[in-house]
Amino acid sequence: MLKRFTVSMEENLLDDFDNYIQERHYQNRSEALRDLIRGRIIEKEWEADKDVMGVISLVYDHHQHKLQEKVTELQHDSHHQIVSTTHVHMDHHNCLEVIIVRGKAGEVRRLADSLMALRGVRNGNLAMSSTGKDLH
Ligand code: NI
């Protein structure tokens, strides 16, 4: 059920907020505010080390010596957190690997950081989502 409440803020801040809404194509202020609040609460859950689902994406050159092996080895070390891995051969050199993980936010973050830190990984990203409850 949606509940209404009134928000007061400085005019400048509201102008900035309206620009933000326009840039992101939100339908209205309520929708934008809900997303911001959810985002902030998810961040807090990460800090609190709650259960999360994560998507790690890596772009790397598979010609880099032993990189493919290291990417696989790190995932085997955390096999209990890995839900699935998809490998896409982007072009002659580059691979995209998308790894879906679940676990404590801190562990997921550490795994993502160690994968992204491997030499030859050109681009890496971690996105985390949470239901707000423990996952079983
Ligand atoms: Ni490949």
Side-chain angles (χ1 to χ4, degrees):
M1 188 181 127
L2 289 174
K3 293 204 173 180
R4 276 172 171 275
F5 68 103
T6 310
V7 179
S8 311
M9 64 175 80
E10 295 88 350
E11 204 177 341
N12 289 348
L13 186 59
L14 186 58
D15 287 345
D16 288 347
F17 186 47
D18 285 338
N19 288 335
Y20 172 90
I21 288 167
Q22 256 195 339
E23 278 167 22
R24 310 216 171 191
H25 307 292
Y26 280 107
Q27 298 299 313
N28 53 58
R29 286 174 177 162
S30 293
E31 206 182 306
L33 190 60
R34 284 196 291 271
D35 266 9
L36 284 172
I37 292 171
R38 276 191 211 106
R40 191 68 194 99
I41 287 172
I42 287 172
E43 268 176 36
K44 274 195 71 185
E45 285 169 359
W46 298 355
E47 288 158 17
D49 216 15
K50 287 266 175 73
D51 287 334
V52 296
M53 298 290 304
V55 180
I56 302 168
S57 56
L58 304 170
V59 174
Y60 62 88
D61 184 343
H62 72 99
H63 293 119
Q64 175 81 34
H65 186 59
K66 298 221 168 181
L67 179 55
Q68 183 106 54
E69 272 175 52
K70 285 177 197 155
V71 168
T72 303
E73 200 177 297
L74 276 175
Q75 292 183 66
H76 277 278
D77 289 345
S78 300
H79 62 89
H80 49 280
Q81 289 166 354
I82 309 280
V83 178
S84 85
T85 302
T86 299
H87 186 105
V88 178
H89 310 300
M90 294 170 76
D91 57 30
H92 187 67
H93 293 279
N94 296 296
C95 302
L96 166 70
E97 203 145 310
V98 179
I99 307 156
I100 299 178
V101 293
R102 69 193 303 165
K104 296 289 175 202
E107 296 165 358
V108 166
R109 166 59 67 190
R110 275 191 293 281
L111 172 60
D113 285 346
S114 48
L115 285 163
M116 288 181 227
L118 290 174
R119 176 193 278 269
V121 173
R122 293 196 166 142
N123 184 248
N125 186 57
L126 166 65
M128 288 199 264
S129 301
S130 165
T131 61
K133 299 187 180 103
D134 284 346
L135 300 170
H136 296 287

Short mmCIF file of all heavy atoms in Angstrom, two decimals, residues 45-109:
data_model
loop_
_atom_site.label_atom_id
_atom_site.label_comp_id
_atom_site.label_asym_id
_atom_site.label_seq_id
_atom_site.Cartn_x
_atom_site.Cartn_y
_atom_site.Cartn_z
N GLU A 45 22.54 -2.27 3.61
CA GLU A 45 22.56 -3.71 3.81
C GLU A 45 23.92 -4.30 3.46
O GLU A 45 24.40 -5.22 4.10
CB GLU A 45 21.47 -4.39 2.98
CG GLU A 45 20.10 -4.17 3.59
CD GLU A 45 18.98 -4.60 2.66
OE1 GLU A 45 19.25 -5.04 1.54
OE2 GLU A 45 17.82 -4.47 3.09
N TRP A 46 24.56 -3.71 2.40
CA TRP A 46 25.90 -4.19 2.05
C TRP A 46 26.83 -3.95 3.23
O TRP A 46 27.60 -4.81 3.61
CB TRP A 46 26.47 -3.42 0.87
CG TRP A 46 25.71 -3.54 -0.39
CD1 TRP A 46 24.60 -4.34 -0.61
CD2 TRP A 46 25.94 -2.85 -1.60
NE1 TRP A 46 24.18 -4.16 -1.89
CE2 TRP A 46 24.96 -3.25 -2.52
CE3 TRP A 46 26.91 -1.92 -1.99
CZ2 TRP A 46 24.93 -2.76 -3.81
CZ3 TRP A 46 26.86 -1.43 -3.28
CH2 TRP A 46 25.88 -1.85 -4.18
N GLU A 47 26.69 -2.73 3.78
CA GLU A 47 27.55 -2.40 4.91
C GLU A 47 27.28 -3.37 6.06
O GLU A 47 28.17 -3.77 6.78
CB GLU A 47 27.29 -0.96 5.37
CG GLU A 47 27.83 0.08 4.41
CD GLU A 47 27.14 1.44 4.54
OE1 GLU A 47 26.49 1.67 5.57
OE2 GLU A 47 27.27 2.25 3.61
N ALA A 48 26.03 -3.74 6.23
CA ALA A 48 25.64 -4.62 7.33
C ALA A 48 25.91 -6.08 6.99
O ALA A 48 25.62 -6.96 7.79
CB ALA A 48 24.18 -4.42 7.64
N ASP A 49 26.42 -6.33 5.79
CA ASP A 49 26.78 -7.67 5.38
C ASP A 49 25.59 -8.62 5.36
O ASP A 49 25.65 -9.74 5.84
CB ASP A 49 27.91 -8.22 6.26
CG ASP A 49 28.86 -9.09 5.44
OD1 ASP A 49 28.79 -9.01 4.20
OD2 ASP A 49 29.63 -9.84 6.03
N LYS A 50 24.53 -8.16 4.76
CA LYS A 50 23.34 -8.99 4.56
C LYS A 50 23.53 -9.93 3.36
O LYS A 50 24.46 -9.76 2.59
CB LYS A 50 22.12 -8.09 4.29
CG LYS A 50 21.61 -7.35 5.49
CD LYS A 50 20.48 -8.16 6.16
CE LYS A 50 19.99 -7.54 7.44
NZ LYS A 50 19.18 -6.34 7.26
N ASP A 51 22.60 -10.86 3.20
CA ASP A 51 22.60 -11.74 2.03
C ASP A 51 22.21 -10.95 0.78
O ASP A 51 21.23 -10.21 0.81
CB ASP A 51 21.59 -12.87 2.21
CG ASP A 51 22.08 -13.90 3.21
OD1 ASP A 51 23.31 -14.02 3.37
OD2 ASP A 51 21.24 -14.58 3.82
N VAL A 52 22.98 -11.12 -0.26
CA VAL A 52 22.68 -10.42 -1.52
C VAL A 52 22.85 -11.37 -2.70
O VAL A 52 23.48 -12.43 -2.59
CB VAL A 52 23.60 -9.20 -1.76
CG1 VAL A 52 23.40 -8.13 -0.71
CG2 VAL A 52 25.06 -9.62 -1.85
N MET A 53 22.26 -10.99 -3.80
CA MET A 53 22.57 -11.59 -5.10
C MET A 53 23.45 -10.58 -5.81
O MET A 53 23.22 -9.37 -5.70
CB MET A 53 21.31 -11.81 -5.94
CG MET A 53 20.29 -12.75 -5.36
SD MET A 53 20.80 -14.49 -5.31
CE MET A 53 21.20 -14.82 -7.03
N GLY A 54 24.44 -11.06 -6.54
CA GLY A 54 25.32 -10.15 -7.24
C GLY A 54 25.56 -10.60 -8.67
O GLY A 54 25.44 -11.79 -8.99
N VAL A 55 25.84 -9.64 -9.53
CA VAL A 55 26.23 -9.94 -10.91
C VAL A 55 27.60 -9.29 -11.14
O VAL A 55 27.73 -8.07 -11.04
CB VAL A 55 25.22 -9.39 -11.93
CG1 VAL A 55 25.66 -9.74 -13.35
CG2 VAL A 55 23.83 -9.95 -11.66
N ILE A 56 28.58 -10.14 -11.39
CA ILE A 56 29.93 -9.65 -11.67
C ILE A 56 30.14 -9.76 -13.17
O ILE A 56 29.89 -10.81 -13.76
CB ILE A 56 30.99 -10.51 -10.95
CG1 ILE A 56 30.76 -10.52 -9.44
CG2 ILE A 56 32.40 -10.01 -11.28
CD1 ILE A 56 31.59 -11.58 -8.70
N SER A 57 30.56 -8.69 -13.81
CA SER A 57 30.90 -8.80 -15.23
C SER A 57 32.36 -8.41 -15.43
O SER A 57 32.87 -7.49 -14.79
CB SER A 57 29.97 -7.95 -16.09
OG SER A 57 30.01 -6.62 -15.66
N LEU A 58 33.02 -9.17 -16.26
CA LEU A 58 34.45 -8.97 -16.53
C LEU A 58 34.67 -8.96 -18.03
O LEU A 58 34.10 -9.80 -18.74
CB LEU A 58 35.28 -10.14 -15.96
CG LEU A 58 35.16 -10.49 -14.50
CD1 LEU A 58 35.87 -11.81 -14.25
CD2 LEU A 58 35.77 -9.40 -13.64
N VAL A 59 35.47 -8.03 -18.50
CA VAL A 59 35.93 -8.07 -19.89
C VAL A 59 37.43 -8.27 -19.84
O VAL A 59 38.12 -7.52 -19.14
CB VAL A 59 35.58 -6.77 -20.64
CG1 VAL A 59 36.20 -6.79 -22.04
CG2 VAL A 59 34.06 -6.60 -20.74
N TYR A 60 37.90 -9.30 -20.51
CA TYR A 60 39.35 -9.55 -20.48
C TYR A 60 39.84 -10.15 -21.78
O TYR A 60 39.07 -10.68 -22.58
CB TYR A 60 39.73 -10.43 -19.29
CG TYR A 60 39.11 -11.82 -19.27
CD1 TYR A 60 39.75 -12.88 -19.91
CD2 TYR A 60 37.92 -12.06 -18.61
CE1 TYR A 60 39.21 -14.16 -19.89
CE2 TYR A 60 37.37 -13.34 -18.59
CZ TYR A 60 38.02 -14.38 -19.23
OH TYR A 60 37.46 -15.64 -19.21
N ASP A 61 41.15 -10.03 -21.96
CA ASP A 61 41.80 -10.58 -23.16
C ASP A 61 42.26 -11.99 -22.83
O ASP A 61 43.10 -12.20 -21.97
CB ASP A 61 43.00 -9.69 -23.51
CG ASP A 61 43.68 -10.12 -24.80
OD1 ASP A 61 43.45 -11.26 -25.25
OD2 ASP A 61 44.46 -9.31 -25.34
N HIS A 62 41.72 -12.96 -23.52
CA HIS A 62 42.04 -14.35 -23.17
C HIS A 62 43.45 -14.75 -23.62
O HIS A 62 43.93 -15.82 -23.26
CB HIS A 62 40.98 -15.32 -23.72
CG HIS A 62 41.02 -15.49 -25.20
ND1 HIS A 62 41.63 -16.57 -25.79
CD2 HIS A 62 40.56 -14.71 -26.19
CE1 HIS A 62 41.52 -16.44 -27.11
NE2 HIS A 62 40.88 -15.31 -27.36
N HIS A 63 44.11 -13.86 -24.38
CA HIS A 63 45.51 -14.14 -24.73
C HIS A 63 46.46 -13.83 -23.58
O HIS A 63 47.61 -14.28 -23.59
CB HIS A 63 45.93 -13.31 -25.96
CG HIS A 63 45.22 -13.73 -27.21
ND1 HIS A 63 44.41 -12.87 -27.92
CD2 HIS A 63 45.17 -14.92 -27.84
CE1 HIS A 63 43.90 -13.53 -28.96
NE2 HIS A 63 44.34 -14.78 -28.94
N GLN A 64 45.99 -13.05 -22.62
CA GLN A 64 46.83 -12.74 -21.44
C GLN A 64 47.20 -14.04 -20.75
O GLN A 64 46.31 -14.85 -20.43
CB GLN A 64 46.05 -11.82 -20.50
CG GLN A 64 46.74 -11.51 -19.18
CD GLN A 64 47.77 -10.40 -19.31
OE1 GLN A 64 47.61 -9.47 -20.08
NE2 GLN A 64 48.85 -10.52 -18.55
N HIS A 65 48.49 -14.22 -20.50
CA HIS A 65 48.99 -15.49 -19.98
C HIS A 65 48.27 -15.95 -18.71
O HIS A 65 48.22 -15.23 -17.73
CB HIS A 65 50.50 -15.33 -19.72
CG HIS A 65 51.16 -16.61 -19.31
ND1 HIS A 65 51.16 -17.74 -20.10
CD2 HIS A 65 51.82 -16.94 -18.17
CE1 HIS A 65 51.81 -18.71 -19.47
NE2 HIS A 65 52.22 -18.25 -18.30
N LYS A 66 47.72 -17.12 -18.76
CA LYS A 66 47.09 -17.79 -17.61
C LYS A 66 45.87 -17.07 -17.04
O LYS A 66 45.37 -17.46 -15.98
CB LYS A 66 48.11 -18.00 -16.47
CG LYS A 66 49.26 -18.90 -16.87
CD LYS A 66 49.62 -19.85 -15.76
CE LYS A 66 50.57 -20.91 -16.30
NZ LYS A 66 50.97 -21.89 -15.36
N LEU A 67 45.41 -16.03 -17.69
CA LEU A 67 44.29 -15.27 -17.12
C LEU A 67 43.02 -16.11 -17.04
O LEU A 67 42.34 -16.14 -16.01
CB LEU A 67 44.07 -13.98 -17.91
CG LEU A 67 42.91 -13.10 -17.43
CD1 LEU A 67 43.05 -12.74 -15.96
CD2 LEU A 67 42.83 -11.81 -18.25
N GLN A 68 42.71 -16.77 -18.13
CA GLN A 68 41.51 -17.61 -18.17
C GLN A 68 41.53 -18.63 -17.02
O GLN A 68 40.53 -18.83 -16.33
CB GLN A 68 41.46 -18.34 -19.51
CG GLN A 68 40.21 -19.19 -19.70
CD GLN A 68 39.27 -18.53 -20.68
OE1 GLN A 68 39.64 -18.19 -21.79
NE2 GLN A 68 38.05 -18.33 -20.26
N GLU A 69 42.71 -19.25 -16.81
CA GLU A 69 42.87 -20.23 -15.72
C GLU A 69 42.62 -19.59 -14.36
O GLU A 69 41.97 -20.18 -13.49
CB GLU A 69 44.31 -20.76 -15.68
CG GLU A 69 44.57 -21.95 -16.55
CD GLU A 69 46.04 -22.31 -16.55
OE1 GLU A 69 46.61 -22.47 -15.44
OE2 GLU A 69 46.62 -22.39 -17.65
N LYS A 70 43.15 -18.38 -14.17
CA LYS A 70 42.99 -17.70 -12.88
C LYS A 70 41.54 -17.32 -12.63
O LYS A 70 41.06 -17.42 -11.49
CB LYS A 70 43.88 -16.46 -12.82
CG LYS A 70 45.35 -16.79 -12.63
CD LYS A 70 46.19 -15.52 -12.65
CE LYS A 70 47.66 -15.84 -12.89
NZ LYS A 70 48.37 -14.70 -13.49
N VAL A 71 40.86 -16.88 -13.68
CA VAL A 71 39.43 -16.52 -13.54
C VAL A 71 38.65 -17.76 -13.10
O VAL A 71 37.80 -17.68 -12.20
CB VAL A 71 38.88 -15.95 -14.87
CG1 VAL A 71 37.36 -15.85 -14.84
CG2 VAL A 71 39.49 -14.58 -15.15
N THR A 72 38.95 -18.89 -13.70
CA THR A 72 38.25 -20.14 -13.37
C THR A 72 38.63 -20.61 -11.96
O THR A 72 37.76 -21.01 -11.18
CB THR A 72 38.60 -21.23 -14.40
OG1 THR A 72 38.26 -20.75 -15.69
CG2 THR A 72 37.85 -22.52 -14.13
N GLU A 73 39.90 -20.52 -11.63
CA GLU A 73 40.39 -20.98 -10.33
C GLU A 73 39.74 -20.19 -9.19
O GLU A 73 39.29 -20.78 -8.20
CB GLU A 73 41.91 -20.80 -10.30
CG GLU A 73 42.61 -21.64 -9.25
CD GLU A 73 44.11 -21.44 -9.36
OE1 GLU A 73 44.68 -21.79 -10.42
OE2 GLU A 73 44.71 -20.90 -8.41
N LEU A 74 39.68 -18.88 -9.33
CA LEU A 74 39.05 -18.04 -8.30
C LEU A 74 37.58 -18.42 -8.10
O LEU A 74 37.07 -18.41 -6.99
CB LEU A 74 39.16 -16.56 -8.65
CG LEU A 74 40.47 -15.87 -8.28
CD1 LEU A 74 40.47 -14.44 -8.80
CD2 LEU A 74 40.69 -15.86 -6.76
N GLN A 75 36.92 -18.75 -9.20
CA GLN A 75 35.51 -19.12 -9.10
C GLN A 75 35.35 -20.47 -8.41
O GLN A 75 34.42 -20.68 -7.63
CB GLN A 75 34.85 -19.14 -10.48
CG GLN A 75 34.75 -17.74 -11.07
CD GLN A 75 34.04 -17.74 -12.40
OE1 GLN A 75 32.85 -18.05 -12.47
NE2 GLN A 75 34.76 -17.40 -13.46
N HIS A 76 36.28 -21.40 -8.68
CA HIS A 76 36.21 -22.70 -7.99
C HIS A 76 36.48 -22.54 -6.49
O HIS A 76 35.88 -23.24 -5.68
CB HIS A 76 37.19 -23.70 -8.63
CG HIS A 76 36.63 -24.36 -9.84
ND1 HIS A 76 35.78 -25.45 -9.77
CD2 HIS A 76 36.76 -24.06 -11.15
CE1 HIS A 76 35.43 -25.79 -11.01
NE2 HIS A 76 36.00 -24.96 -11.86
N ASP A 77 37.36 -21.61 -6.15
CA ASP A 77 37.63 -21.36 -4.73
C ASP A 77 36.38 -20.87 -4.01
O ASP A 77 36.24 -21.04 -2.81
CB ASP A 77 38.73 -20.29 -4.57
CG ASP A 77 40.10 -20.83 -4.97
OD1 ASP A 77 40.23 -22.06 -5.09
OD2 ASP A 77 41.02 -20.01 -5.18
N SER A 78 35.48 -20.21 -4.75
CA SER A 78 34.24 -19.68 -4.16
C SER A 78 33.02 -20.38 -4.75
O SER A 78 31.96 -19.77 -4.88
CB SER A 78 34.13 -18.18 -4.43
OG SER A 78 35.22 -17.50 -3.87
N HIS A 79 33.17 -21.66 -5.06
CA HIS A 79 32.11 -22.38 -5.80
C HIS A 79 30.75 -22.34 -5.11
O HIS A 79 29.72 -22.35 -5.77
CB HIS A 79 32.53 -23.83 -6.07
CG HIS A 79 32.75 -24.62 -4.83
ND1 HIS A 79 31.76 -25.33 -4.22
CD2 HIS A 79 33.86 -24.79 -4.06
CE1 HIS A 79 32.24 -25.92 -3.14
NE2 HIS A 79 33.51 -25.59 -3.01
N HIS A 80 30.76 -22.27 -3.78
CA HIS A 80 29.48 -22.26 -3.05
C HIS A 80 28.73 -20.94 -3.25
O HIS A 80 27.55 -20.86 -2.95
CB HIS A 80 29.70 -22.54 -1.57
CG HIS A 80 30.80 -21.70 -0.97
ND1 HIS A 80 32.14 -22.03 -1.12
CD2 HIS A 80 30.76 -20.56 -0.26
CE1 HIS A 80 32.88 -21.10 -0.51
NE2 HIS A 80 32.07 -20.20 0.01
N GLN A 81 29.41 -19.91 -3.74
CA GLN A 81 28.75 -18.61 -3.97
C GLN A 81 28.34 -18.41 -5.42
O GLN A 81 27.54 -17.54 -5.71
CB GLN A 81 29.69 -17.47 -3.59
CG GLN A 81 29.90 -17.35 -2.11
CD GLN A 81 31.07 -16.45 -1.78
OE1 GLN A 81 31.80 -16.00 -2.65
NE2 GLN A 81 31.26 -16.20 -0.51
N ILE A 82 28.89 -19.24 -6.30
CA ILE A 82 28.64 -19.04 -7.74
C ILE A 82 27.34 -19.73 -8.13
O ILE A 82 27.17 -20.93 -7.90
CB ILE A 82 29.79 -19.61 -8.59
CG1 ILE A 82 31.15 -19.11 -8.10
CG2 ILE A 82 29.54 -19.33 -10.08
CD1 ILE A 82 31.53 -17.74 -8.54
N VAL A 83 26.43 -18.98 -8.70
CA VAL A 83 25.17 -19.57 -9.18
C VAL A 83 25.34 -20.00 -10.63
O VAL A 83 25.01 -21.13 -10.99
CB VAL A 83 24.01 -18.56 -9.07
CG1 VAL A 83 22.72 -19.16 -9.61
CG2 VAL A 83 23.83 -18.10 -7.62
N SER A 84 25.86 -19.13 -11.45
CA SER A 84 26.13 -19.52 -12.84
C SER A 84 27.11 -18.55 -13.48
O SER A 84 27.29 -17.42 -13.02
CB SER A 84 24.84 -19.60 -13.66
OG SER A 84 24.51 -18.34 -14.16
N THR A 85 27.75 -19.03 -14.52
CA THR A 85 28.73 -18.22 -15.25
C THR A 85 28.43 -18.34 -16.74
O THR A 85 28.21 -19.43 -17.23
CB THR A 85 30.16 -18.75 -14.98
OG1 THR A 85 30.41 -18.70 -13.57
CG2 THR A 85 31.19 -17.92 -15.70
N THR A 86 28.40 -17.20 -17.40
CA THR A 86 28.22 -17.20 -18.85
C THR A 86 29.43 -16.54 -19.49
O THR A 86 29.86 -15.47 -19.05
CB THR A 86 26.94 -16.42 -19.23
OG1 THR A 86 25.83 -17.06 -18.63
CG2 THR A 86 26.74 -16.41 -20.74
N HIS A 87 29.97 -17.22 -20.47
CA HIS A 87 31.15 -16.70 -21.16
C HIS A 87 30.76 -16.35 -22.59
O HIS A 87 30.17 -17.15 -23.29
CB HIS A 87 32.25 -17.78 -21.16
CG HIS A 87 33.54 -17.32 -21.71
ND1 HIS A 87 34.63 -17.03 -20.93
CD2 HIS A 87 33.92 -17.06 -22.98
CE1 HIS A 87 35.64 -16.64 -21.69
NE2 HIS A 87 35.23 -16.65 -22.94
N VAL A 88 31.08 -15.12 -22.99
CA VAL A 88 30.78 -14.68 -24.35
C VAL A 88 32.10 -14.30 -25.03
O VAL A 88 32.88 -13.52 -24.48
CB VAL A 88 29.84 -13.44 -24.34
CG1 VAL A 88 29.57 -12.96 -25.76
CG2 VAL A 88 28.54 -13.77 -23.62
N HIS A 89 32.38 -14.87 -26.19
CA HIS A 89 33.57 -14.50 -26.95
C HIS A 89 33.22 -13.26 -27.77
O HIS A 89 32.52 -13.35 -28.77
CB HIS A 89 34.00 -15.64 -27.87
CG HIS A 89 34.11 -16.95 -27.16
ND1 HIS A 89 34.96 -17.14 -26.09
CD2 HIS A 89 33.46 -18.11 -27.33
CE1 HIS A 89 34.84 -18.39 -25.66
NE2 HIS A 89 33.91 -18.99 -26.39
N MET A 90 33.68 -12.10 -27.31
CA MET A 90 33.25 -10.83 -27.91
C MET A 90 33.84 -10.62 -29.30
O MET A 90 33.17 -10.22 -30.23
CB MET A 90 33.66 -9.66 -27.02
CG MET A 90 32.96 -9.63 -25.69
SD MET A 90 33.68 -8.41 -24.58
CE MET A 90 33.02 -6.88 -25.23
N ASP A 91 35.13 -10.86 -29.40
CA ASP A 91 35.82 -10.76 -30.70
C ASP A 91 37.07 -11.65 -30.61
O ASP A 91 37.16 -12.49 -29.72
CB ASP A 91 36.17 -9.29 -31.02
CG ASP A 91 37.02 -8.62 -29.95
OD1 ASP A 91 37.81 -9.33 -29.27
OD2 ASP A 91 36.90 -7.39 -29.77
N HIS A 92 38.00 -11.44 -31.51
CA HIS A 92 39.18 -12.32 -31.54
C HIS A 92 39.93 -12.33 -30.20
O HIS A 92 40.45 -13.36 -29.78
CB HIS A 92 40.11 -11.87 -32.66
CG HIS A 92 41.25 -12.81 -32.88
ND1 HIS A 92 41.09 -14.10 -33.35
CD2 HIS A 92 42.58 -12.65 -32.64
CE1 HIS A 92 42.27 -14.70 -33.40
NE2 HIS A 92 43.19 -13.84 -32.98
N HIS A 93 39.99 -11.17 -29.53
CA HIS A 93 40.79 -11.05 -28.31
C HIS A 93 39.96 -11.13 -27.02
O HIS A 93 40.38 -11.72 -26.04
CB HIS A 93 41.52 -9.70 -28.28
CG HIS A 93 42.56 -9.57 -29.32
ND1 HIS A 93 43.81 -10.12 -29.18
CD2 HIS A 93 42.54 -8.98 -30.52
CE1 HIS A 93 44.53 -9.87 -30.27
NE2 HIS A 93 43.77 -9.18 -31.10
N ASN A 94 38.81 -10.48 -27.05
CA ASN A 94 38.12 -10.18 -25.79
C ASN A 94 37.00 -11.15 -25.44
O ASN A 94 36.25 -11.60 -26.30
CB ASN A 94 37.53 -8.77 -25.87
CG ASN A 94 38.62 -7.73 -25.98
OD1 ASN A 94 39.42 -7.57 -25.07
ND2 ASN A 94 38.67 -7.06 -27.11
N CYS A 95 36.94 -11.42 -24.15
CA CYS A 95 35.88 -12.26 -23.60
C CYS A 95 35.09 -11.43 -22.59
O CYS A 95 35.65 -10.60 -21.88
CB CYS A 95 36.46 -13.45 -22.84
SG CYS A 95 37.53 -14.48 -23.85
N LEU A 96 33.81 -11.70 -22.54
CA LEU A 96 32.95 -11.15 -21.48
C LEU A 96 32.51 -12.32 -20.63
O LEU A 96 32.01 -13.32 -21.15
CB LEU A 96 31.72 -10.46 -22.08
CG LEU A 96 30.58 -10.14 -21.10
CD1 LEU A 96 30.97 -9.03 -20.13
CD2 LEU A 96 29.31 -9.75 -21.85
N GLU A 97 32.74 -12.22 -19.32
CA GLU A 97 32.26 -13.25 -18.43
C GLU A 97 31.29 -12.61 -17.45
O GLU A 97 31.61 -11.59 -16.84
CB GLU A 97 33.43 -13.92 -17.70
CG GLU A 97 33.08 -15.32 -17.23
CD GLU A 97 34.27 -16.29 -17.30
OE1 GLU A 97 34.93 -16.38 -18.35
OE2 GLU A 97 34.52 -16.94 -16.28
N VAL A 98 30.10 -13.18 -17.35
CA VAL A 98 29.07 -12.68 -16.44
C VAL A 98 28.83 -13.75 -15.39
O VAL A 98 28.47 -14.88 -15.73
CB VAL A 98 27.76 -12.35 -17.19
CG1 VAL A 98 26.71 -11.85 -16.21
CG2 VAL A 98 28.01 -11.31 -18.27
N ILE A 99 29.09 -13.41 -14.15
CA ILE A 99 29.04 -14.39 -13.07
C ILE A 99 27.94 -13.97 -12.09
O ILE A 99 27.98 -12.87 -11.54
CB ILE A 99 30.39 -14.45 -12.34
CG1 ILE A 99 31.53 -14.68 -13.34
CG2 ILE A 99 30.39 -15.53 -11.27
CD1 ILE A 99 32.88 -14.19 -12.85
N ILE A 100 26.98 -14.85 -11.90
CA ILE A 100 25.91 -14.57 -10.94
C ILE A 100 26.29 -15.24 -9.62
O ILE A 100 26.62 -16.42 -9.59
CB ILE A 100 24.56 -15.08 -11.45
CG1 ILE A 100 24.21 -14.37 -12.76
CG2 ILE A 100 23.46 -14.85 -10.40
CD1 ILE A 100 22.93 -14.81 -13.41
N VAL A 101 26.28 -14.46 -8.55
CA VAL A 101 26.74 -14.95 -7.26
C VAL A 101 25.69 -14.66 -6.19
O VAL A 101 24.84 -13.79 -6.35
CB VAL A 101 28.08 -14.29 -6.85
CG1 VAL A 101 29.19 -14.73 -7.76
CG2 VAL A 101 27.97 -12.78 -6.86
N ARG A 102 25.75 -15.42 -5.11
CA ARG A 102 24.91 -15.12 -3.95
C ARG A 102 25.74 -15.34 -2.71
O ARG A 102 26.63 -16.19 -2.68
CB ARG A 102 23.64 -15.98 -3.95
CG ARG A 102 23.88 -17.46 -3.69
CD ARG A 102 22.65 -18.27 -4.01
NE ARG A 102 21.51 -17.80 -3.24
CZ ARG A 102 20.24 -18.12 -3.53
NH1 ARG A 102 19.98 -18.90 -4.56
NH2 ARG A 102 19.26 -17.69 -2.79
N GLY A 103 25.44 -14.58 -1.67
CA GLY A 103 26.19 -14.75 -0.43
C GLY A 103 26.18 -13.48 0.38
O GLY A 103 25.42 -12.54 0.10
N LYS A 104 27.02 -13.44 1.41
CA LYS A 104 27.15 -12.24 2.22
C LYS A 104 27.77 -11.14 1.36
O LYS A 104 28.69 -11.41 0.58
CB LYS A 104 28.04 -12.50 3.44
CG LYS A 104 27.47 -13.53 4.41
CD LYS A 104 26.28 -12.97 5.16
CE LYS A 104 25.64 -14.04 6.04
NZ LYS A 104 24.23 -13.68 6.35
N ALA A 105 27.26 -9.95 1.52
CA ALA A 105 27.71 -8.84 0.68
C ALA A 105 29.23 -8.67 0.70
O ALA A 105 29.84 -8.43 -0.34
CB ALA A 105 27.03 -7.55 1.11
N GLY A 106 29.82 -8.82 1.87
CA GLY A 106 31.26 -8.64 2.00
C GLY A 106 32.04 -9.68 1.20
O GLY A 106 33.03 -9.37 0.54
N GLU A 107 31.56 -10.95 1.24
CA GLU A 107 32.22 -12.03 0.51
C GLU A 107 32.09 -11.82 -1.00
O GLU A 107 33.04 -12.03 -1.75
CB GLU A 107 31.59 -13.39 0.87
CG GLU A 107 31.75 -13.79 2.31
CD GLU A 107 30.83 -14.94 2.71
OE1 GLU A 107 30.02 -15.41 1.86
OE2 GLU A 107 30.91 -15.36 3.87
N VAL A 108 30.87 -11.41 -1.41
CA VAL A 108 30.61 -11.16 -2.83
C VAL A 108 31.52 -10.04 -3.32
O VAL A 108 32.13 -10.12 -4.38
CB VAL A 108 29.12 -10.83 -3.05
CG1 VAL A 108 28.87 -10.23 -4.42
CG2 VAL A 108 28.26 -12.08 -2.84
N ARG A 109 31.63 -8.99 -2.53
CA ARG A 109 32.50 -7.86 -2.86
C ARG A 109 33.96 -8.29 -2.99
O ARG A 109 34.65 -7.92 -3.92
CB ARG A 109 32.32 -6.76 -1.79
CG ARG A 109 33.32 -5.66 -1.76
CD ARG A 109 33.46 -4.84 -3.01
NE ARG A 109 32.27 -4.05 -3.32
CZ ARG A 109 32.09 -3.40 -4.49
NH1 ARG A 109 33.01 -3.47 -5.43
NH2 ARG A 109 31.01 -2.71 -4.70
#
